Amino acid sequence: MSNSSNRSPYHVSFSDDQQQRKISINLDDNPLTGSGQGSGEKSGRFVVIKPSDVPDVNENDKMTNSNATNEHEKIPLQTESNVLLKFNESIFEDQDHGPRTVLDQLYNYTGGIVPNAAEAEKQTAVRQNSANLGTIFGVYLPCVQNIIGVIVFIRLFWLIGIAGVPQTLLIVVVCSSCTLLTAISMAAIATNGIVPAGGAYFMISRSLGPEFGGAVGLLFYLGNTFAASMYIVGAVEIIVKYMCPEKCRLFGDDVEIPSIAFNHYRIYGTLLLIIIGACVLIGIKFVTKIAPLSLLAVIISLLCIYAGVIKSSFSPPDLPICLVGLNPSHLIKSSVLHNDVRTYCRPDKWCYEGNKTILCPLYASICNKPTNTLCSKNDYVENVRVEQGIPGLKNWQLSENLVSHYRQAGEIERDIKGDSTFEVVAQEITSFLILVGIYFPSVTGIMAGSNRSGDLRDPSRSIPRGTIAAILTTSTIYLSNVVFLGACVHSSLLRDKFGDSINKQLVVAALAWPNKWVIMIGAFCSTVGAGLQTLTGAPRLLQAVAKDDLVPILGRLAKSYRGEPVPALFLTLLICQCGILIADLDKLTALLSMFFLLCYGFVNLACALQTILRAPSWRPRFRFYHWILSLMGVLLSISIMFMASWYFALIAMVIAIVIYKFIEYKGAEKEWGDGIRGLSMSAARYALYRVDEAPPHTKNWRPQLLAFINVQRNEEDELYALRHPRLLNFLYQLKAGQGFVVAATILEGDYLDKYAYIEQVRSLLKTSLTQTKVQGFAEVLVAKDAEDGISALIQTEGLGGLKPNTIVLCWPLNWRKDYESYTANAFIRTIAVAEARRCAVIVPKNINSFPDNKEIQEGTIDIWWIIHDGGLLFLIAFLLKRNKVWSRCRLRLFTVAQLEDNSVEMKKDLEQYMYQLRIEAEVDVVEMENQEISAYAYERTLKLAERVKLLKDLKLPDKELQLQPQILMESLLNNQRQSIDESDDQYHYTFTPNQLGNLKSVSESSMRKMHSAVRLNQQIRNRSHDAKLVLINLPSPPTKHTSLATYSYMEYVDALTEGLDRLLLMRGSGREVITIFS
C-alpha cells in the first residue's frame, strides 16, 4: 500500500495507534466513563486505503490494533486528547457494546455494499490478494481483445456482400449503440460505490434484487462459458481449414465434410482447452502478462489490413475470379477450374494441356447439364470473363456494393436458383434481421473488464473509462473496415462466404499486406485471446453468485485458492468441454447472444430504475447518463433479441424466469437496498395515498386480519414458542379473502427490560408465517399489561386507509383457572375495543382441534344465523370453502324463529337471499318457544309481520322486495340499532364465582337468559353434532366491565357453545360486508 496514497479517489479508514496510548490522566474511576475499560485509551487516525482492500461483503471483525498500525497508518488528520475523548464518550455512549466516538464509528462503519446483518457476521480470515490492475490492462485491453473476434476476419466481408455497405453500417451502428448505451449505464452504476468481485452480476443484483441478479448472472455465466467454446472451436476451424488443411488432417479425405470437420474440432479443441485452462489456472497475473501477446497479433493483423487497403490504391493484389453470364453473373468455384482460374476460365469446349486436347472443365461442368442456359449452340459458354476479385481503391468498387443481395438457400440472386456443383450459391436464407443476429456476437465482450472487478485497483474508475474507450475503439475499427472492404473488393467475391471461388482463401487475408499469414495468425490469436479472457472472467462471475448463497448447490464454488476461483474454474472448463464436444455451435450462437442481451438489458434497466426513483443513495460520479438513454438501451436490447431470433429470445426469457422463481422459492432473503424494493416502496406509497381513509365500498371489503397470537417462554433455554400454532393454519385457510394478515404478540413488562426479546419473538412469528405459507407481517409490542397492548395495536396498527378491519383472537379456554390474571377481562375488553373501533371479531374456540393445511375435510359447515351482522358469517364461510381444506364441505344455514312466525315463508326468503348472494347453502329454520329465546336472541331475524310492516314503510312491491333482499336486511339492521342501544342493560349478568352457591341473588331474568342459552345450545348440538365447523354470532359484551358482568358473560358464552368441537364465534363491525349487487 505504499503507493496507494497517490491514487484517487481515497477511501478513509480509522486505525488505532499503539504509540499514542499514553494516558496522562487516569479517569477509569470517573462515573462519566461508563465501564472500566475506558475508551480514553484510543487515539484516532484517519488512513487512506485502496478500494481493492475493501471486501465484497461487510465485515464486522475487529482488527487488532497492532495490525491496524502496521497496515493502515497513513496521513494523520487530527488527534484528540484522551480526556476529551473520555468526556465525549461519557456523554453520548454509556453502553459497552457500541462504537464509542465519531472516529470509532467511522472505523466500524458497515453500511454500503451489503447491509444485511447476517452477511455482516461472515468472518474473512485472510483477505484475498488482488492483482491490482489498472484501466489499460485491467479493462481496456481485455474488452478490446474480447470484442475484436474472428468475425472481423472471416464474416464481415460476407455481411457487406449480402447487406450492402449502407445496411452493414446500420447493423454495426445499431449493435454498437446497444453496447455503448449499456456501457454508459454500467458506468453510472459502477461509479455509485465500490464494485467488488462479480462485475455485471454485482451491479444487477444490488440494483434489481437477488432474484433478477441471480437469474441474469447465471445466464450471463453460461453465455460466457459457451462463448469460450465457440472461440476455441473457431480457432481450431482456422487451423484445420485455412492454416494447414493437409498437414493437420487426422482422418478423412475432406475436412469440408461436416462430420469429419466436427471430429477434428473435438480433438484439437480439447487440446487447446487444456492449454488455455492451464494458463488461467496459473493465475490472473499470468493471463494479464500473456494476453497482450495475442492482442498484439490482432493489432498487427488490423494494421496489415489497412496497409493492404492503402497498397490497393496503386497496386491491387492479383486475385482472379471467374464469372459467367450477365444479369446475373455466376461466380464459378475455383475447384471446378482445377484451382487455375486464368488457364481454365475460358468459353471454349476444348482445352490444351501440352500436346493433349481435353474437354474444358468449365464447359464440362456447365454445358453437359440438360437445364443449362449459359451455353450457346456453337459449343461454347457465353459471357465468360476473368476479373480481379480485389480491384482495390484504384478501381473504386463502393458504388457496386451499395445494394443488398438477400437470398434464399440455393440462390445466386433473389428468386434466381443456382447450381452448387459449379458455382457459388447461398448456403442459407438471409435477411437484415438475420444478419443482425449473426453480427451481434462480434460486439459482445464489453463485460470482460467488469467481470474481473475484484482484481482492479479502482473498479469505479477503471470500468467506465476502459469499457467506453474499448467500445469506441472497436466500433471505429468495424466501421472503417466496412467502408474499406466495400470499396476494394468485387461484389461477387464479397458474397462468397467460404472462399470457394479463390481456393478457400480468406478475402481479408488476400487484401492484407504484406502476407496472408499475418491475417490467419491474427485471426487465430483473436479467437484464442477472446477464449482466454472469457475463461478468466466466467469463473469469477460464478464465484460471485456462489458467495451470495442464492443457489445453495453452488456453495462450494465460493472457495478460492491463492486468490483464484479454482472450483468455479474446473466447473467452467467442464461446461466448456461439453460445448466443444457439441462442435456445431452455430445452432447455439443465437441463444448465447440472447444471454448477453438479457444481461445488457438488465444493466440498462437497473440504471433507469435507480435514476427514476431518485434514491438518496444514487450518487454516481459519472455524470454523462440519463434515464432516457438507459430505457433506449433496454428497448434496443429487447429489439435485437427478437430481431435475431424470436424463438431463442423466448427460450432465454423462459430460462431466466425459471431461475428467478427457483431463487425466489429458495428464499433469497437478501436486503441490498435494490431498486426493485425501492420501486415497491414508491408503488406502495402511491397506493396508500390513493386509498381513501373512509370505509371501502361493500364490494371491496375483505378481511384485513389482525391476529393476536400468544407466546410462552421456556425458562430453561429462554426461548419462546407459539401457544396456539394452529391459528396460523386458520389464517392461511382464509387467504382467499386476498387481505393482509398481521400476526401480533404482546410482551408484558417494561420496554427497556424486554426489548432484547422483541427480535427473537418477531423472528419466531415470521418463521411460523413462512412455514404455514401465510403471507403476512409480524408485529411485537411491549406493554405493561396485555389489555393496554391489545388496545394500542387495534387503535394504531395499519397505515392510512390500509388498517385491520377484523380482529382474530382465540377463546380463553382456561379463563376460570386464570381468572385472577384477568384473562376473561382482557378478552371482553378486546371485543369492546374492536367494537368501538368498528372492527369485526372472529373468535376460534378449541383452536387446537382445527385442521392443518393438509387435512382435507368432508362434511358440512354450519352457519347459525341468530342476528344479522352484515353478512360476516356468510362471507367467512364462503372464503373458507374456497380453500382446499374445506372445499369438499357443504354449507348449511340455520336461523331461529318463534312458533308464531311463518317458518315456510322465512325459509323461502332466506333461500332467495342466499341465491342473490351467489352462495350455495341449505337453509333450515329452527322454531323455538318464545320463552326459550333469550335477550341474546333479541337481535334475531325479525318476525315475518315486522318484515311486512317494513315493506309497507319502504313502499316496495313484493316483487322488488324479493329481488333486493339486501335493501331489506340493511333497513332491518338500521331500525334495530336504536332499540339495541336502549337495551344495553340486558347484557349485565348477575352471578360471580363467589355467588354461585347463593342462587337466590340471581334474578329471574338472568336465569331465563342462561336457560335460553342452554336450550339454544341443545338445538345446535342436535343439528350440528357431526358438522366439521360451526359458525355462530358472538354475543355483545357487557357495557359495564365489572367482575360480575365479566364472569356472567363468559359463563353465558360457554353455555351457548358447550359440546361443540370446532367453533367460530363472530361479531360484525356494524356495516355490510357482503352484497347481492355486482
Side-chain angles (χ1 to χ4, degrees):
M1 289 183 53
S2 60
N3 60 349
S4 63
S5 60
N6 297 326
R7 190 168 55 254
S8 177
Y10 296 117
H11 298 275
V12 180
S13 177
F14 174 76
S15 175
D16 292 335
D17 193 346
Q18 291 275 12
Q19 304 297 328
Q20 298 181 2
R21 289 193 172 188
K22 298 178 180 179
I23 306 176
S24 58
I25 301 177
N26 187 357
L27 297 179
D28 288 347
D29 296 331
N30 192 324
L32 294 177
T33 59
S35 64
Q37 299 176 356
S39 59
E41 296 180 352
K42 298 183 179 179
S43 177
R45 270 185 182 272
F46 284 106
V47 300
V48 180
I49 63 175
K50 61 186 179 182
S52 58
D53 287 337
V54 180
D56 56 349
V57 297
N58 290 334
E59 299 179 6
N60 286 338
D61 35 330
K62 298 182 178 180
M63 299 184 298
T64 61
N65 292 326
S66 60
N67 291 339
T69 303
N70 295 332
E71 294 181 11
H72 301 305
E73 184 172 347
K74 298 283 179 185
I75 313 175
L77 298 183
Q78 65 178 15
T79 303
E80 297 288 342
S81 67
N82 295 319
V83 177
L84 182 58
L85 284 175
K86 295 176 74 66
F87 179 73
N88 289 340
E89 293 167 13
S90 65
I91 294 178
F92 293 101
E93 298 289 346
D94 289 337
Q95 303 287 341
D96 291 335
H97 52 74
R100 300 297 185 96
T101 65
V102 175
L103 300 181
D104 281 332
Q105 291 175 6
L106 287 175
Y107 174 67
N108 292 282
Y109 174 71
T110 57
I113 300 173
V114 184
N116 190 311
E119 294 189 8
E121 295 176 358
K122 296 180 180 178
Q123 301 292 327
T124 304
V126 180
R127 186 173 294 173
Q128 298 179 2
N129 294 324
S130 66
N132 203 27
L133 301 176
T135 301
I136 299 298
F137 289 97
V139 180
Y140 176 76
L141 293 182
C143 286
V144 170
Q145 193 168 13
N146 245 23
I147 294 174
I148 299 181
V150 71
I151 287 184
V152 72
F153 298 107
I154 66 175
R155 289 291 182 271
L156 185 60
F157 68 88
W158 176 74
L159 293 177
I160 300 170
I162 298 297
V165 172
Q167 293 191 32
T168 305
L169 290 174
L170 179 61
I171 292 174
V172 174
V173 170
V174 168
C175 295
S176 298
S177 298
C178 178
T179 56
L180 181 61
L181 292 174
T182 303
I184 292 173
S185 299
M186 184 171 62
I189 300 174
T191 58
N192 190 51
I194 300 173
V195 181
Y201 158 73
F202 180 88
M203 299 177 195
I204 295 174
S205 61
R206 269 55 175 185
S207 299
L208 298 180
E211 295 87 357
F212 282 107
V216 178
L218 289 177
L219 290 183
F220 190 51
Y221 163 75
L222 291 176
N224 276 279
T225 305
F226 280 107
S229 302
M230 182 178 65
Y231 294 141
I232 293 174
V233 171
V236 174
E237 180 181 355
I238 293 174
I239 294 176
V240 173
K241 288 189 174 182
Y242 299 108
M243 298 181 71
C244 57
E246 299 295 335
K247 296 181 180 180
C248 297
R249 185 180 303 167
L250 298 178
F251 38 79
D253 296 330
D254 189 1
V255 293
E256 297 298 328
I257 300 175
S259 59
I260 297 177
F262 292 160
N263 288 330
H264 283 84
Y265 298 163
R266 295 182 180 105
I267 295 175
Y268 286 118
T270 301
L271 295 176
L272 186 58
L273 176 64
I274 293 174
I275 297 173
I276 295 177
C279 295
V280 177
L281 187 61
I282 293 174
I284 191 171
K285 293 183 180 179
F286 179 74
V287 173
T288 305
K289 292 179 181 179
I290 66 171
L293 297 179
S294 62
L295 181 60
L296 180 62
V298 175
I299 294 175
I300 293 175
S301 301
L302 293 174
L303 293 177
C304 289
I305 294 176
Y306 291 121
V309 170
I310 296 174
K311 177 179 175 294
S312 70
S313 62
F314 56 87
S315 177
D318 183 20
L319 188 68
I321 58 175
C322 182
L323 297 174
V324 176
L326 298 172
N327 297 322
S329 297
H330 299 257
L331 181 62
I332 307 302
K333 292 182 177 180
S334 62
S335 59
V336 173
L337 305 176
H338 305 311
N339 295 323
D340 189 353
V341 174
R342 294 198 180 276
T343 301
Y344 295 107
C345 184
R346 53 193 304 172
D348 303 323
K349 180 177 180 180
W350 302 102
C351 296
Y352 299 96
E353 286 186 357
N355 297 325
K356 296 181 180 180
T357 302
I358 62 172
L359 186 66
C360 285
L362 181 61
Y363 182 90
S365 300
I366 298 177
C367 298
N368 288 340
K369 296 183 180 297
T371 58
N372 79 85
T373 58
L374 300 176
C375 295
S376 67
K377 298 179 180 180
N378 298 325
D379 293 334
Y380 70 93
V381 183
E382 296 180 342
N383 299 316
V384 177
R385 61 196 181 277
V386 177
E387 296 186 8
Q388 281 293 335
I390 304 180
L393 294 179
K394 183 177 182 180
N395 301 288
W396 190 256
Q397 296 291 310
L398 190 62
S399 58
E400 302 294 330
N401 291 317
L402 297 178
V403 183
S404 62
H405 298 272
Y406 298 117
R407 304 173 292 180
Q408 300 288 331
E411 294 180 349
I412 59 173
E413 288 290 350
R414 182 173 298 177
D415 300 329
I416 300 177
K417 287 290 184 179
D419 190 341
S420 60
T421 59
F422 66 88
E423 63 180 325
V424 177
V425 298
Q427 301 291 326
E428 65 277 312
I429 184 175
T430 54
S431 66
F432 180 82
L433 301 183
I434 293 176
L435 295 187
V436 170
I438 293 174
Y439 173 78
F440 186 80
S442 66
V443 297
T444 60
I446 64 172
M447 301 292 184
S450 63
N451 287 346
R452 52 173 67 185
S453 56
D455 298 294
L456 298 177
R457 183 185 306 122
D458 188 353
S460 299
R461 182 178 183 180
S462 298
I463 291 176
R465 293 186 177 186
T467 305
I468 294 177
I471 293 174
L472 294 178
T473 301
T474 53
S475 298
T476 302
I477 293 173
Y478 281 127
L479 291 172
S480 61
N481 271 270
V482 170
V483 175
F484 288 145
L485 288 175
C488 294
V489 184
H490 196 285
S491 60
S492 297
L493 181 58
L494 286 176
R495 294 192 293 274
D496 186 2
K497 185 176 182 180
F498 299 106
D500 291 326
S501 63
I502 53 175
N503 193 20
K504 298 295 182 180
Q505 295 184 68
L506 287 174
V507 173
V508 177
L511 173 65
W513 181 86
N515 193 286
K516 67 178 183 178
W517 281 97
V518 178
I519 297 300
M520 287 189 284
I521 294 175
F524 174 78
C525 290
S526 70
T527 54
V528 173
L532 184 65
Q533 298 291 351
T534 303
L535 287 178
T536 302
R540 285 163 168 76
L541 179 61
L542 180 61
Q543 185 188 40
V545 178
K547 279 185 176 181
D548 286 335
D549 196 25
L550 301 181
V551 182
I553 197 174
L554 301 179
R556 296 182 179 180
L557 302 178
K559 298 180 180 179
S560 297
Y561 298 94
R562 298 179 294 103
E564 295 296 323
V566 176
L569 174 60
F570 280 117
L571 178 61
T572 303
L573 293 177
L574 179 61
I575 298 175
C576 186
Q577 176 63 24
C578 295
I580 293 174
L581 293 178
I582 294 174
D584 186 10
L585 290 180
D586 288 342
K587 299 177 181 178
L588 293 178
T589 303
L591 184 60
L592 299 182
S593 300
M594 301 304 145
F595 292 161
F596 286 107
L597 283 166
L598 272 179
C599 181
Y600 299 164
F602 275 104
V603 169
N604 285 294
L605 179 62
C607 181
L609 190 62
Q610 296 281 20
T611 307
I612 293 174
L613 291 178
R614 297 182 179 179
S617 61
W618 180 245
R619 304 183 301 275
R621 288 192 296 272
F622 183 81
R623 300 298 181 186
F624 305 100
Y625 72 96
H626 196 275
W627 64 268
I628 295 180
L629 295 178
S630 299
L631 286 183
M632 288 174 58
V634 175
L635 296 176
L636 198 55
S637 299
I638 297 175
S639 300
I640 294 177
M641 287 179 66
F642 285 92
M643 287 166 61
S645 176
W646 64 268
Y647 47 89
F648 275 125
L650 293 179
I651 292 174
M653 289 182 176
V654 169
I655 295 175
I657 292 173
V658 170
I659 299 176
Y660 176 95
K661 299 304 292 184
F662 175 79
I663 296 176
E664 185 181 51
Y665 172 75
K666 284 295 182 181
E669 296 180 359
K670 307 288 183 182
E671 176 51 63
W672 290 331
D674 52 85
I676 294 297
R677 292 182 183 270
L679 180 62
S680 299
M681 292 177 62
S682 298
R685 181 186 63 181
Y686 176 77
L688 283 173
Y689 287 149
R690 293 293 303 270
V691 175
D692 192 0
E693 292 194 14
H697 191 274
T698 303
K699 291 188 292 185
N700 293 328
W701 193 95
R702 58 197 64 194
Q704 317 281 15
L705 304 176
L706 173 60
F708 290 100
I709 301 176
N710 292 332
V711 296
Q712 52 190 2
R713 185 184 179 193
N714 189 338
E715 297 299 336
E716 296 181 0
D717 54 10
E718 296 186 351
L719 296 178
Y720 285 90
L722 299 184
R723 183 167 294 177
H724 300 298
R726 294 243 169 169
L727 181 60
L728 296 178
N729 292 327
F730 172 71
L731 298 179
Y732 170 78
Q733 292 157 19
L734 272 178
K735 71 173 185 177
Q738 299 297 318
F740 68 83
V741 175
V742 179
T745 292
I746 308 297
L747 297 181
E748 292 186 290
D750 187 80
Y751 178 78
L752 296 179
D753 297 331
K754 296 286 186 180
Y755 78 93
Y757 302 106
I758 291 178
E759 198 56 41
Q760 178 186 346
V761 177
R762 181 179 285 112
S763 177
L764 172 65
L765 291 176
K766 287 183 178 180
T767 302
S768 302
L769 289 171
T770 302
Q771 290 175 349
T772 53
K773 299 180 181 180
V774 177
Q775 294 182 343
F777 308 95
E779 190 69 63
V780 181
L781 179 68
V782 178
K784 293 189 178 300
D785 57 64
E787 294 183 33
D788 290 342
I790 292 174
S791 177
L793 280 179
I794 293 177
Q795 294 179 62
T796 60
E797 187 64 30
L799 187 63
L802 200 62
K803 295 179 179 293
N805 56 24
T806 305
I807 310 301
V808 181
L809 71 162
C810 294
W811 175 264
L813 296 177
N814 300 324
W815 65 270
R816 291 183 180 86
K817 178 180 177 182
D818 299 334
Y819 184 73
E820 297 301 327
S821 63
Y822 305 102
T823 301
N825 191 47
F827 175 77
I828 294 178
R829 283 182 58 86
T830 300
I831 299 175
V833 172
E835 191 175 45
R837 172 72 170 68
R838 297 185 67 82
C839 289
V841 180
I842 300 177
V843 181
K845 190 175 181 183
N846 304 319
I847 186 63
N848 292 331
S849 65
F850 275 57
D852 62 21
N853 297 333
K854 296 182 180 179
E855 298 177 11
I856 307 300
Q857 303 297 302
E858 294 186 9
T860 62
I861 298 177
D862 290 356
I863 305 172
W864 283 83
W865 190 35
I866 310 302
I867 59 174
H868 181 67
D869 57 355
L872 182 65
L873 287 171
F874 305 142
L875 182 62
I876 297 301
F878 171 74
L879 295 179
L880 285 174
K881 200 174 180 317
R882 294 178 69 176
N883 186 268
K884 65 179 181 178
V885 175
W886 305 99
S887 60
R888 299 182 183 179
C889 294
R890 307 186 326 273
L891 292 183
R892 294 193 303 182
L893 173 62
F894 297 94
T895 188
V896 178
Q898 297 182 9
L899 292 178
E900 59 269 22
D901 287 339
N902 190 337
S903 301
V904 176
E905 196 66 28
M906 184 181 294
K907 182 177 180 179
K908 290 182 179 180
D909 290 344
L910 288 177
E911 288 176 345
Q912 178 69 13
Y913 183 50
M914 299 304 292
Y915 175 79
Q916 296 290 347
L917 291 176
R918 286 94 63 197
I919 297 177
E920 296 181 4
E922 303 172 10
V923 178
D924 193 6
V925 178
V926 179
E927 295 182 346
M928 297 181 64
E929 296 182 2
N930 189 38
Q931 62 270 22
E932 293 179 348
I933 301 179
S934 67
Y936 159 76
Y938 85 96
E939 297 176 50
R940 67 190 181 277
T941 306
L942 295 184
K943 301 177 183 179
L944 181 61
E946 292 173 335
R947 301 186 189 195
V948 174
K949 181 178 181 301
L950 179 63
L951 175 63
K952 294 179 179 178
D953 293 339
L954 295 175
K955 297 181 180 180
L956 296 175
D958 292 340
K959 183 176 181 181
E960 186 173 350
L961 178 63
Q962 294 174 2
L963 294 177
Q964 303 189 36
Q966 183 74 26
I967 299 176
L968 172 63
M969 300 310 299
E970 292 181 355
S971 302
L972 291 174
L973 181 62
N974 294 331
N975 291 342
Q976 279 189 305
R977 284 176 181 162
Q978 183 177 359
S979 61
I980 294 173
D981 296 336
E982 295 172 355
S983 307
D984 281 341
D985 292 341
Q986 56 190 318
Y987 291 99
H988 302 165
Y989 303 99
T990 55
F991 51 95
T992 67
N994 297 328
Q995 296 173 323
L996 286 177
N998 188 9
L999 295 178
K1000 294 181 180 179
S1001 63
V1002 182
S1003 66
E1004 180 181 352
S1005 174
S1006 297
M1007 288 298 296
R1008 183 177 65 84
K1009 297 169 187 175
M1010 185 60 67
H1011 173 70
S1012 299
V1014 173
R1015 291 287 298 145
L1016 184 57
N1017 175 258
Q1018 291 177 352
Q1019 294 289 343
I1020 296 175
R1021 291 169 65 180
N1022 290 339
R1023 289 170 170 78
S1024 301
H1025 63 278
D1026 58 347
K1028 297 300 180 181
L1029 181 64
V1030 176
L1031 287 72
I1032 192 171
N1033 299 107
L1034 176 69
S1036 179
T1039 55
K1040 295 180 180 180
H1041 301 290
T1042 62
S1043 299
L1044 178 64
T1046 299
Y1047 192 89
S1048 301
Y1049 178 81
M1050 301 298 287
E1051 281 284 4
Y1052 178 65
V1053 177
D1054 260 352
L1056 178 66
T1057 59
E1058 183 181 0
L1060 300 177
D1061 185 23
R1062 296 173 184 163
L1063 181 69
L1064 289 180
L1065 295 161
M1066 299 188 196
R1067 183 160 187 84
S1069 61
R1071 59 160 297 168
E1072 293 295 321
V1073 300
I1074 193 169
T1075 178
I1076 66 173
F1077 300 107
S1078 60

